[in-house]
Amino acid sequence: MLEGSAVRAQKQLVLLHREDGPPPKGTAEWLNMRSWISRHHHLSCPRRVFSRRSLPKLRELYQRVFEKGPDRHSDFSRLARVLTGNSIALVLGGGGARGCSQVGILRALNEAGIPVDMVGGTSIGSLMGALYAEEKSNSRMRVRAREWAMDMNSFFKKIWDLTYPVTSMFSGASFNSSISSVFNGKQIEDLWLPYFNITTDITASCMRAHTDGSLWRYVRASMSLSGYLPPLCDPKDGHLLMDGGYINNLPADVARSMGAKVVIAIDVGSRDETNLTNYGDSLNGWWLLWKRFNPLSEKVKVLNMAEIQTRLAYVCCVQQLEQVKDSEYCEYIRPPIDHYGTLEFGKFDEIAEVGYQHGKTLFEVWQRSGVVDSMLKDRHQEEFHKTKTGHVVTCPNASFTDLAEIVSRIEPVKNPVIDEELSDDCQTDYDEEAVESALSDYEAFTQGSEHTEEEETADTAETDEEVQIRVRRRPKNAALSPTP
């Protein structure tokens, strides 16, 4: 029915799952057969959704259900927020082992009662975000993240993966194995929460946001630091993908473009040293070598070649980060983890605890200052009740579907009846006529309550032929009267 429908609206697929059943699987098959689907959602449903009851029993059941308050963390609440433009996105930035603090912040986020409707990330954030999108549980996510971090701390695995450094120091085989063992062939489409991650396409020199395909491959691509790991070849088009931090280390703007009303962005990137030595117009390397090995000389802060290359790679990322921090839709979080190194995965518990304590304190401030209430407030709630000229903007008894149908309805093409008097002004564009018709229908709908009973009786007294003649002879800019 939807394939043959001419309705110009986004069509989204909602897949219902039993709450005690297996996790989503094979979603790509559903999507491949329906190319017209714009998005999809996985909902974990209580047993009553699948039970068969008579209509009286069904009404009695849901009367008891409605006595309880809605659960903002349920999948149905998430669907409601997504469809009404009130979704909350969580974006996790890159920063190596400092990303372990994101696990603690997520724990504090759940305890504060703040729901998450979409997850995105870059580099280590893509890994942590994928774990959360798959589990929807902070406790299970923490266990899996800790196991991976401890595996990354293995010195012998790094030694065995060393290779001749033409493209990179490591072959990537060991790192690939560690990532693939975490996700076990999972597809991005099968995650409970909508998810994306960012990579840098060095073949096309652009940013890539991945929302489908092999999860472990795109997580690995998003974590591929230049010089350490070789680029990953995209299985779809063969493009070379590198760490997403080179182009967008905190992709809050991407989450916003996907429909999020509020974006909670957690930044764990390293902060560069800015108090560098002013060495003048030229620099002698022998002088630097002497300064470094002479214990009596004053230490100088001068970047080496590797540090300069790294800073150049992150230039556009730094500019993008400043824009995100200044945006109105983004809630920026920066835990105090600057003194931890990029590869200190062995300090997982310590770094995660720092993130938890910081998040717990911050979210308490959000609760008191009304930030959380503002996040959860329906942004359309006031718009439906506001008045501009003393009249209600929308009909309170009409459903959203009714209003959408009235506004977006496109009339079928009709053979125009040309009168002799209007023959000079008959070249009216069909698109203009369709817009006028839709707007006039909407105006008639909103002002219908002002019509008196005599007017309604007079309108209904007209025959179909009289209505057609009246419409045909109306001036070009005249509004259509409501038809019976």
Side-chain angles (χ1 to χ4, degrees):
M1 183 190 71
L2 287 175
E3 285 178 338
S5 174
V7 176
R8 296 186 178 183
Q10 290 187 355
K11 303 177 182 68
Q12 304 188 25
L13 175 66
V14 179
L15 294 167
L16 306 181
H17 304 265
R18 298 181 183 274
E19 60 182 358
D20 54 351
K25 185 178 181 181
T27 310
E29 298 178 9
W30 288 80
L31 301 177
N32 292 338
M33 294 175 61
R34 299 162 179 83
S35 59
W36 37 267
I37 289 177
S38 59
R39 296 179 66 179
H40 72 280
H41 310 276
H42 292 288
L43 303 189
S44 178
C45 307
R47 293 183 179 180
R48 63 173 179 266
V49 175
F50 302 100
S51 62
R52 296 183 179 181
R53 290 182 172 89
S54 63
L55 187 58
K57 291 289 186 181
L58 203 60
R59 288 176 176 171
E60 180 182 352
L61 171 65
Y62 279 96
Q63 281 178 353
R64 294 197 303 268
V65 172
F66 293 156
E67 292 176 357
K68 302 178 182 178
D71 179 11
R72 68 176 62 160
H73 294 282
S74 70
D75 287 353
F76 279 96
S77 293
R78 167 165 56 87
L79 179 63
R81 288 190 295 270
V82 170
L83 295 180
T84 56
N86 291 285
S87 61
I88 300 174
L90 175 69
V91 169
L92 308 177
R98 290 181 292 272
C100 300
S101 63
Q102 296 166 344
V103 177
I105 294 178
L106 272 170
R107 176 188 169 191
L109 191 74
N110 292 335
E111 292 178 358
I114 302 175
V116 174
D117 305 315
M118 179 194 307
V119 183
T122 298
S123 194
I124 185 67
S126 70
L127 173 72
M128 298 301 178
L131 286 174
Y132 187 77
E134 183 179 1
E135 294 289 356
K136 291 194 305 181
S137 167
N138 180 260
S139 58
R140 291 194 297 268
M141 170 202 173
R142 179 190 176 92
V143 172
R144 295 174 62 185
R146 190 180 188 280
E147 289 179 355
W148 176 84
M150 295 300 104
D151 185 65
M152 279 294 296
N153 202 42
S154 173
F155 178 76
F156 293 103
K157 287 189 176 182
K158 295 176 184 177
I159 294 296
W160 280 109
D161 200 41
L162 284 172
T163 186
Y164 186 71
V166 176
T167 300
S168 60
M169 293 173 55
F170 301 99
S171 69
S174 177
F175 191 73
N176 292 352
S177 177
S178 68
I179 298 293
S180 61
S181 63
V182 171
F183 297 110
N184 296 320
K186 197 83 171 181
Q187 296 289 113
I188 295 178
E189 300 94 322
D190 294 331
L191 297 176
W192 279 113
L193 297 178
Y195 167 84
F196 70 91
N197 69 18
I198 301 297
T199 62
T200 302
D201 186 338
I202 61 174
T203 300
S205 300
C206 65
M207 182 187 76
R208 296 275 294 274
H210 304 278
T211 57
D212 60 81
S214 174
L215 179 58
W216 82 263
R217 283 187 172 87
Y218 291 122
V219 168
R220 193 285 211 189
S222 185
M223 301 175 69
S224 302
L225 281 174
S226 174
Y228 292 93
L229 294 170
L232 184 129
C233 298
D234 193 332
K236 296 181 180 179
D237 53 19
H239 285 205
L240 300 180
L241 306 179
M242 292 296 295
D243 195 300
Y246 294 125
I247 196 166
N248 194 340
N249 198 46
L250 196 65
D253 54 333
V254 177
R256 176 69 170 182
S257 68
M258 293 182 176
K261 181 187 77 169
V262 178
V263 179
I264 301 174
I266 304 176
D267 180 20
V268 294
S270 61
R271 289 184 173 175
D272 294 327
E273 175 67 50
T274 57
N275 186 24
L276 301 176
T277 301
N278 183 355
Y279 50 79
D281 298 329
S282 61
L283 180 62
N284 190 316
W286 299 110
W287 174 75
L288 284 178
L289 188 63
W290 167 253
K291 286 286 188 181
R292 178 174 298 177
F293 289 103
N294 185 1
L296 300 179
S297 65
E298 183 182 356
K299 298 299 180 183
V300 294
K301 296 179 180 179
V302 178
L303 300 178
N304 59 36
M305 288 187 288
E307 292 170 336
I308 293 174
Q309 291 294 332
T310 301
R311 292 200 180 203
L312 286 174
Y314 285 100
V315 165
C316 65
C317 169
V318 173
Q319 295 176 350
Q320 181 271 341
L321 177 60
E322 294 302 320
Q323 294 176 359
V324 165
K325 291 167 63 175
D326 295 337
S327 62
E328 296 180 354
Y329 62 83
C330 180
E331 295 293 341
Y332 178 80
I333 300 176
R334 172 79 189 188
I337 36 75
D338 291 330
H339 59 282
Y340 291 104
T342 302
L343 300 177
E344 291 186 312
F345 289 100
K347 297 182 179 180
F348 177 90
D349 294 327
E350 181 181 341
I351 299 175
E353 183 63 22
V354 171
Y356 172 69
Q357 295 298 334
H358 178 77
K360 186 177 180 180
T361 303
L362 178 64
F363 298 143
E364 287 178 356
V365 175
W366 283 12
Q367 294 278 11
R368 293 195 299 268
S369 59
V371 174
V372 175
D373 293 336
S374 177
M375 284 183 183
L376 299 175
K377 188 175 183 180
D378 186 353
R379 69 176 184 179
H380 298 294
Q381 186 175 6
E382 295 182 356
E383 296 178 9
F384 281 117
H385 298 289
K386 283 181 180 178
T387 57
K388 294 183 179 180
T389 58
H391 302 287
V392 179
V393 178
T394 59
C395 179
N397 297 325
S399 68
F400 176 80
T401 306
D402 296 332
L403 296 176
E405 182 181 358
I406 292 170
V407 174
S408 63
R409 184 170 62 226
I410 300 177
E411 299 294 337
V413 180
K414 298 179 181 179
N415 295 325
V417 178
I418 303 176
D419 295 337
E420 295 179 358
E421 298 176 358
L422 303 176
S423 59
D424 295 336
D425 193 27
C426 65
Q427 296 180 352
T428 304
D429 185 51
Y430 171 70
D431 292 335
E432 182 179 351
E433 284 288 320
V435 173
E436 290 180 6
S437 176
L439 291 175
S440 60
D441 284 350
Y442 177 72
E443 181 177 310
F445 182 86
T446 56
Q447 297 179 355
S449 59
E450 299 179 2
H451 285 222
T452 61
E453 294 182 359
E454 288 111 357
E455 290 174 338
E456 292 177 355
T457 305
D459 289 340
T460 55
E462 293 180 337
T463 64
D464 293 342
E465 295 179 356
E466 290 172 341
V467 171
Q468 292 178 0
I469 294 173
R470 174 165 53 82
V471 172
R472 291 170 186 167
R473 291 183 176 274
R474 69 180 178 86
K476 180 179 179 181
N477 296 324
L480 284 174
S481 300
T483 56

